[in-house]
Amino acid sequence: NTALKGDEIVNRVPATVGIVATVGLCLVGCSGQSDSSPSSSPDPNVITSNNAQLVLSKNAGAYVYGTLRNSSGNEVKIVGGTAESASKVTPEQVVTVDGKTTVELPQGGIPVPAQGDLTLEPTNYRIAIAGLTPTPPKGGTIHVNLALSNGSLSRISTTVQ
């Protein structure tokens, strides 16, 4: 064993404390899922729809329209999702200002009021679905898992138009 001199001890303590603190933070921060990640199983009781339609576009994509119902006591926001045979699901808002129409990603997601309804429509909020392959047949059903701001998923069924 080699004995450390007084100034060597002082110089090594901050480095040791820094390493211990970094490891401790990683263990705490990396130990589990974050609160914003969707849970692994759909929660069918938060967002439901009995008239959701999947309208196909010409570019291998589609849009979800219809009325969504939030049965919870809190507003939730649709922040993303997944769909069968799709590469991406994105909440969007169509905004028209001074005759110019743009498509935006709503800040924080699409809000669905507590114990209330929200209508997805071509001129306001909609859910874009990209990369549908193969193209689903008209009249068929596509299931969409909506990722919500509360960390859960809600599964809705859409009828292909």
Side-chain angles (χ1 to χ4, degrees), residues 57-101:
S57 67
K58 296 177 184 177
N59 61 358
Y63 299 100
V64 176
Y65 300 119
T67 303
L68 301 179
R69 172 88 179 136
N70 177 359
S71 61
S72 78
N74 299 306
E75 175 187 88
V76 294
K77 294 182 179 184
I78 300 168
V79 296
T82 60
E84 301 168 37
S85 306
S87 61
K88 190 172 185 181
V89 174
T90 308
E92 296 181 341
Q93 184 174 18
V94 178
V95 178
T96 303
V97 176
D98 297 327
K100 183 180 177 186
T101 301

Side-chain angles (χ1 to χ4, degrees), residues 16-145:
T16 304
V17 170
I19 292 169
V20 170
T22 302
V23 170
L25 287 174
C26 186
L27 290 174
V28 170
C30 302
S31 64
Q33 275 188 323
S34 69
D35 290 340
S36 62
S37 298
S39 61
S40 60
S41 61
D43 182 357
N45 297 323
V46 176
I47 300 293
T48 57
S49 180
N50 61 6
N51 67 350
Q53 299 177 4
L54 185 73
V55 179
L56 299 174
S57 67
K58 296 177 184 177
N59 61 358
Y63 299 100
V64 176
Y65 300 119
T67 303
L68 301 179
R69 172 88 179 136
N70 177 359
S71 61
S72 78
N74 299 306
E75 175 187 88
V76 294
K77 294 182 179 184
I78 300 168
V79 296
T82 60
E84 301 168 37
S85 306
S87 61
K88 190 172 185 181
V89 174
T90 308
E92 296 181 341
Q93 184 174 18
V94 178
V95 178
T96 303
V97 176
D98 297 327
K100 183 180 177 186
T101 301
T102 59
V103 176
E104 301 176 0
L105 300 176
Q107 179 100 14
I110 298 175
V112 186
Q115 296 292 322
D117 296 336
L118 172 78
T119 301
L120 300 174
E121 55 192 352
T123 58
N124 194 8
Y125 291 115
R126 65 186 184 184
I127 298 170
I129 300 188
L132 276 171
T133 54
T135 302
K138 288 188 179 186
T141 299
I142 294 289
H143 301 287
V144 179
N145 291 316

